[in-house]
Amino acid sequence: MADTERYERAGIPERPSLDGIEETWSRRWQEEGTYAFDRSKSRSNVYAIDTPPPTVSGELHMGHVFSYTHTDTVARFQRMRGRTVFYPMGWDDNGLPTERRVQNVYGVRCDPSLPYDPAWRPPATPISAEARKNPVSISRRNFVELCERLTAEDEQIFEALWRRLGLSVDWSLTYTTIGRTARATSQRAFLRNLERGEAYTAEAPTLWDVGFATAVAQAELEDRERPGAYHTLRFRGSATAPGSHGLPEPEILIDTTRPELLPACVALVCHPDDERYADLVGGTARTPLFGVEVPVHAHPLADPAKGTGIAMVCTFGDLTDVTWWRELQLDTRVVIGRDGRLLPDAPAGVDPARYAPLAGKGVNAARRQIVELLTETGDLVGEARPVTHPVKFYERGDSPLEIVSTRQWYIRNGGRDAELRDALVERGRQLNWVPAHMRHRYEHWVGGLTGDWLISRQRFFGVPVPVWYRLDDAGEPDHSQPLTPYESLLPVDPSSECPPGYEESQRGRPGGFVADPDVMDTWATSSLTPQIVAGWETDPDLFARVFPMDLRPQGQEIIRTWLFSSVVRAHLEHGVLPWRDTVLSGWILDPDRKKMSKSKGNVVTPMALLEQHGSDAVRYWAASGRPGTDLAFNPDQIKIGRRLATKLLNASKFALGLGAADALRSPVTEPLDRSMLAGLSQVVATATNGFDGYDHTAALQAAEAFFWTFCDDYIELVKERAYGSGPAADSARAALATALSAQLRLFAPFLPYVTEEVWSWWRYGSVHRAPWPTTYEVDRAAQDGDPTLLRLAGGALTQVRRAKSERKLSMRTDVPLAEALGPAAMLERLAMVADDVRSAGRIAKLDYLPDRTPELVIACAF
């Protein structure tokens, strides 16, 4: 029978190709509901994934492809294990990244004082650099509408890429963190926190990003090395130790990198054990230039080895200043405003005339000005000394953070409550961490918290804080008793809706009310992704089937934000962990072994690679990286994936073209066939154990190594026999069919397109709904086969091929005589597969010569 006729009868394309299969199967999967969640299943038969919602503020890059592919392999494996997989996809579209993107794309800025203009239309994009430098001011509502418009466009692009990559997401379970469900869930959780006393508002020193004009939380900080300079300032002190009366005022030298904060100085602090300054403790000192009397205190946080060993405390230069201010109960002299400029009015106790030259200046200008003034008065000692030191930034910001006093909302997270902190540490120990060492990062973070979670933001595109405040007769808000909405009315926007019992005419009027102007931090919503997708309080049936969830996959860099905040919310609201397992992904590195990031400009976007090499090839590259392990981006690895997918296509065509599909139920009788299947059984066990332990890479490596042996050795050894007829031929075809069926399923989580394509040639339904292969299934066909026989036969064939290659002969050249040398026991086992070795090697006669050599040696005579 001609090959073409055989392929047509088997339903196999004569020239199968990887090109175009993504479009075909993506459409089929969606039409047929291949990955749809079955909510009729009980919780024990559900595998629920808390999928990370990617930030919709730019392009997806290879780091996203890397980690999301890992999760998808788990979803596909669990589905094939017979569980219905709850696999949603969300879009994290609220917050500062989206606002920044809208500002850059459209050249606008939000001005909440402006009225809404329904006729306003954004400029055509792209805009000019000049327009970006001089943004147009628009109302908050106009600005939010732009945010919604741009995120909707970005989300379509993101979804198209995820579908192309082959994520087996149930797209009916899509949500956004600014959507109605997410807003209601976020506000409900906040109100519950407030009712239990876990959420509170307070006026306090706050880390402030002057560029974004908003408060930021401790979890969002990063240190960046920045150049600075130490300036030595001369203070005058009064000695207080016994016997020091009548002595001249001592000179106190203070080193500081922030001389512009001198008018905010409220104390000097030294270490309790520093004898150099013992006589000063309990007394006072006068600030240079302003002559303000400030107390001198001892505190263990003062570092005797830093600078001169005694520091000035300013309100507020850094977080240590805040600690000293709170613990030593110091005065408050704030000089820096929310715009990053020195306030127009001098703080209490500071001479307005001396302060006037600094008023309204930016930080850098004020620093230069005060250095000039100190030089004139002789209070600057020596020259400035350059230094490079860590400065705190908001992770998405461009300017150093300042600390200003503002009223903000907080949720208790153990930062000031030892009992809660211990409970959250214990939650972390109940969680299954992959890799296990990542738990230490969690515990280090929780143990190092210095305050509660600041959740309010002075921004525009976010979930509004759902409270109002009564106004007294003078029009001042009462923050001690916030007005709250009924849960049944959520979500609410306090800026356009009224609290219960009030009318719009009372807004902003004495005796009426005012809305809280802030929105919640994006993490305050993202921390509730399990509750959002599980239908908390809105769909009790679904909630009972999927919560707590099974898996939280995420990046290691957001353990302190997303993972920790999710644990906090679930602990406070439900008294449980939100999921059983968490799998942390590593980073993608560029060729210089540096982490890829948009800020560094070294990211690689995936769409061109998907189009050039195919999705299966890109997924292969991604799956070659283990959880928690960094992976260098290597295009050559993608090419290997393409080669693997192509080989799987062609090897399957060959095996099925021999009639393997028709022989699937035939008995496997020949030793070599049973040997191959016995080896496959071991691979199934290894791959299954790998997936059970979230080591998808081990599963892929085992399947791939066996597959190449299957192609290079087994198929070459049995193809002549498989072309024939009779029981031995049927055995080969049955073994090929059994092996192909199992291997397609082993590769299905990694290479979903090519495996589905081949499966469709000879099996009903989707390979992704087929059961995961089991050792029982393969062993039943292998019938106690010896897996070493295939290795022995493959080694013999390799030596015959090498002999031909060394003589530059065709592989089809006949070998009149070959001699097998080796231990007698090995030669006896070789004899069991000798017919296949002779056939594949085209050997006319094979002699066995027992020898002391420990390995098999094949000598060919031509």
Side-chain angles (χ1 to χ4, degrees):
M1 183 186 300
D3 286 347
T4 300
E5 184 180 351
R6 272 205 318 274
Y7 295 146
E8 288 177 352
R9 287 185 57 187
I12 306 168
E14 183 176 355
R15 292 184 176 84
S17 172
L18 298 177
D19 297 333
I21 62 175
E22 288 93 348
E23 181 179 352
T24 298
W25 288 111
S26 291
R27 184 179 64 254
R28 287 272 296 274
W29 291 334
Q30 182 66 23
E31 292 171 351
E32 297 172 4
T34 304
Y35 308 125
F37 172 66
D38 181 358
R39 64 180 296 161
S40 69
K41 300 292 185 180
S42 63
R43 181 64 185 90
S44 61
N45 291 317
V46 171
Y47 187 85
I49 302 173
D50 184 17
T51 317
T55 301
V56 187
S57 59
E59 290 184 303
L60 292 170
H61 54 75
M62 292 304 288
H64 293 104
V65 168
F66 178 64
S67 57
Y68 282 78
T69 297
H70 295 178
T71 304
D72 188 60
T73 64
V74 173
R76 290 178 177 279
F77 168 73
Q78 291 292 342
R79 196 178 287 113
M80 296 175 75
R81 289 293 289 273
R83 303 175 77 178
T84 185
V85 177
F86 185 74
Y87 190 11
M89 179 59 71
W91 310 117
D92 190 6
D93 45 13
N94 73 61
L96 293 173
T98 297
E99 291 190 22
R100 172 65 66 88
R101 180 159 158 74
V102 167
Q103 291 167 354
N104 290 336
V105 169
Y106 294 109
V108 297
R109 61 181 293 271
C110 181
D111 184 348
S113 67
L114 294 176
Y116 174 63
D117 182 358
W120 185 84
R121 295 292 180 270
T125 56
I127 62 171
S128 65
E130 184 64 26
R132 191 173 287 112
K133 290 180 181 178
N134 298 283
V136 176
S137 296
I138 59 176
S139 73
R140 176 173 181 171
R141 184 174 170 185
N142 286 119
F143 186 77
V144 168
E145 287 178 352
L146 265 190
C147 291
E148 292 171 340
R149 168 179 170 171
L150 189 60
T151 54
E153 294 173 359
D154 286 343
E155 286 157 12
Q156 291 178 3
I157 297 172
F158 279 32
E159 181 176 333
L161 190 146
W162 283 151
R163 286 180 181 272
R164 176 66 181 260
L165 184 64
L167 295 192
S168 58
V169 164
D170 182 343
W171 290 102
S172 69
L173 301 175
T174 306
Y175 68 94
T176 69
T177 57
I178 199 64
R180 183 178 181 83
T181 298
R183 295 199 312 273
T185 303
S186 183
Q187 291 182 336
R188 181 185 302 111
F190 171 83
L191 292 174
R192 300 267 182 100
N193 292 138
L194 180 61
E195 183 180 2
R196 293 190 296 260
E198 296 152 359
Y200 63 92
T201 182
E203 180 88 23
T206 307
L207 289 161
W208 189 266
D209 185 283
V210 298
F212 283 110
T214 184
V216 298
Q218 182 181 353
E220 299 170 307
L221 307 184
E222 65 180 29
D223 285 336
R224 301 179 191 170
E225 292 293 325
R226 286 293 183 269
Y230 268 122
H231 300 80
T232 302
L233 279 54
R234 181 183 289 109
F235 284 64
R236 298 289 179 179
S238 61
T240 60
S244 63
H245 298 292
L247 296 177
E249 292 181 328
E251 181 179 85
I252 308 172
L253 300 183
I254 303 291
D255 278 348
T256 179
T257 58
R258 301 205 62 181
E260 72 277 9
L261 292 180
L262 182 60
C265 180
V266 292
L268 300 184
V269 175
C270 64
H271 194 275
D273 298 332
D274 195 335
E275 296 181 357
R276 293 174 295 175
Y277 305 110
D279 290 347
L280 300 175
V281 175
T284 62
R286 286 200 316 277
T287 63
L289 195 62
F290 300 103
V292 177
E293 291 272 332
V294 296
V296 181
H297 291 281
H299 193 281
L301 285 182
D303 184 357
K306 185 176 181 180
T308 61
I310 185 167
M312 68 173 183
V313 184
C314 303
T315 51
F316 299 92
D318 57 24
L319 293 174
T320 306
D321 280 346
V322 176
T323 301
W324 283 329
W325 168 79
R326 183 180 293 117
E327 294 185 4
L328 299 175
Q329 298 183 335
L330 302 175
D331 292 336
T332 303
R333 294 190 181 97
V334 175
V335 297
I336 295 182
R338 296 187 179 192
D339 59 358
R341 295 181 174 275
L342 271 67
L343 296 172
D345 298 322
V350 175
D351 183 351
R354 294 186 179 183
Y355 178 81
L358 305 172
K361 290 185 179 295
V363 167
N364 292 332
R367 183 178 303 144
R368 291 191 295 269
Q369 179 69 55
I370 206 163
V371 167
E372 291 179 9
L373 295 173
L374 289 167
T375 302
E376 292 173 3
T377 61
D379 291 320
L380 185 68
V381 180
E383 298 292 327
R385 306 187 305 280
V387 64
T388 299
H389 60 149
V391 177
K392 294 200 178 298
F393 280 73
Y394 168 51
E395 60 188 359
R396 298 182 183 276
D398 301 320
S399 303
L401 292 175
E402 298 292 350
I403 299 178
V404 300
S405 184
T406 60
R407 177 168 293 280
Q408 303 290 343
W409 280 98
Y410 300 84
I411 290 179
R412 302 188 191 281
N413 66 354
R416 297 181 182 175
D417 182 339
E419 183 177 350
L420 177 57
R421 181 168 58 248
D422 291 344
L424 293 171
V425 169
E426 179 58 29
R427 288 291 182 208
R429 292 173 180 172
Q430 296 167 5
L431 185 59
N432 176 37
W433 295 80
V434 181
H437 70 265
M438 290 291 181
R439 175 170 66 84
H440 300 297
R441 299 191 184 189
Y442 172 90
E443 292 188 358
H444 179 75
W445 171 251
V446 178
L449 288 169
T450 59
D452 287 328
W453 176 16
L454 189 158
I455 65 161
S456 48
R457 296 291 181 271
Q458 291 65 54
R459 298 302 300 176
F460 317 111
F461 190 53
V463 178
V465 176
V467 301
W468 302 262
Y469 307 103
R470 296 183 183 88
L471 296 177
D472 61 20
D473 293 340
E476 294 296 322
D478 177 9
H479 293 104
S480 64
Q481 296 292 328
L483 304 170
T484 59
Y486 300 119
E487 281 194 12
S488 60
L489 299 178
L490 299 177
V492 299
D493 181 358
S495 68
S496 59
E497 298 173 55
C498 302
Y502 289 81
E503 297 178 355
E504 183 61 32
S505 60
Q506 296 174 279
R507 185 184 297 272
R509 296 180 178 275
F513 70 94
V514 65
D516 190 300
D518 294 342
V519 298
M520 286 189 271
D521 167 26
T522 185
W523 295 116
T525 300
S526 297
S527 61
L528 297 163
T529 51
Q531 291 87 341
I532 292 169
V533 297
W536 174 49
E537 297 291 2
T538 61
D539 191 341
D541 177 77
L542 178 62
F543 193 74
R545 296 179 194 276
V546 302
F547 187 90
M549 303 178 89
D550 294 275
L551 175 64
R552 156 64 72 83
Q554 66 162 69
Q556 58 185 296
E557 71 276 15
I558 52 174
I559 290 174
R560 65 183 186 178
T561 48
W562 193 34
L563 189 146
F564 175 61
S565 62
S566 299
V567 170
V568 170
R569 303 307 284 277
H571 174 78
L572 295 177
E573 182 62 38
H574 310 287
V576 298
L577 280 170
W579 354 262
R580 183 189 69 244
D581 304 327
T582 184
V583 177
L584 289 306
S585 60
W587 289 325
I588 295 303
L589 308 178
D590 66 13
D592 296 326
R593 307 296 295 180
K594 295 179 181 178
K595 177 190 173 185
M596 281 191 179
S597 68
K598 287 184 283 188
S599 61
K600 294 180 181 178
N602 63 347
V603 299
V604 175
T605 53
M607 186 54 82
L609 292 169
L610 292 170
E611 293 173 347
Q612 179 182 359
H613 301 288
S615 299
D616 284 343
V618 174
R619 289 173 63 99
Y620 170 86
W621 161 81
S624 63
R626 282 185 165 86
T629 303
D630 298 342
L631 180 70
F633 175 68
N634 183 0
D636 290 339
Q637 193 74 4
I638 298 177
K639 294 176 182 177
I640 293 174
R642 175 79 177 190
R643 177 171 170 255
L644 174 62
T646 301
K647 187 67 174 181
L648 187 59
L649 200 70
N650 293 331
S652 300
K653 173 189 173 183
F654 176 79
L656 294 173
L658 292 173
D662 298 329
L664 184 60
R665 301 284 187 268
S666 299
V668 178
T669 58
E670 297 303 300
L672 186 67
D673 304 334
R674 291 180 175 180
S675 173
M676 180 272 294
L677 293 176
L680 178 57
S681 178
Q682 295 175 345
V683 171
V684 169
T686 299
T688 304
N689 291 335
F691 268 120
D692 282 340
Y694 292 109
D695 190 351
H696 56 266
T697 306
L700 174 59
Q701 289 175 342
E704 183 182 11
F706 180 84
F707 175 71
W708 288 114
T709 298
F710 173 78
C711 293
D712 296 341
D713 292 343
Y714 178 74
I715 288 180
E716 291 301 316
L717 284 162
V718 303
K719 64 181 181 182
E720 292 297 328
R721 172 159 54 93
Y723 274 122
S725 60
D730 289 342
S731 174
R733 289 192 287 266
L736 284 168
T738 301
L740 183 59
S741 173
Q743 288 183 94
L744 288 173
R745 287 174 283 157
L746 287 174
F747 279 120
F750 309 103
L751 313 175
Y753 288 108
V754 68
T755 53
E756 187 77 297
E757 173 70 14
V758 173
W759 191 263
S760 72
W761 295 346
W762 66 304
R763 306 301 297 271
Y764 292 107
S766 170
V767 68
H768 305 298
R769 287 288 187 178
W772 181 254
T774 65
T775 55
Y776 171 77
E777 167 194 345
V778 182
D779 287 342
R780 184 176 58 185
Q783 299 184 47
D784 298 321
D786 178 0
T788 64
L789 282 180
L790 176 57
R791 291 197 292 271
L792 186 65
L797 179 61
T798 297
Q799 292 187 56
V800 174
R801 289 170 171 169
R802 186 185 305 125
K804 293 180 180 180
S805 178
E806 289 172 350
R807 292 167 176 78
K808 299 182 179 180
L809 300 173
S810 166
M811 291 299 114
R812 299 184 62 81
T813 300
D814 292 331
V815 179
L817 174 65
E819 296 177 334
L821 291 76
M826 184 179 294
L827 296 181
E828 289 177 7
R829 292 169 52 245
L830 178 64
M832 299 171 65
V833 295
D835 288 346
D836 289 324
V837 173
R838 284 196 298 267
S839 176
R842 302 182 71 87
I843 301 171
K845 183 180 181 183
L846 178 61
D847 288 343
Y848 305 99
L849 303 177
D851 193 86
R852 291 182 179 181
T853 178
E855 302 293 337
L856 177 68
V857 176
I858 304 294
C860 296
F862 294 94

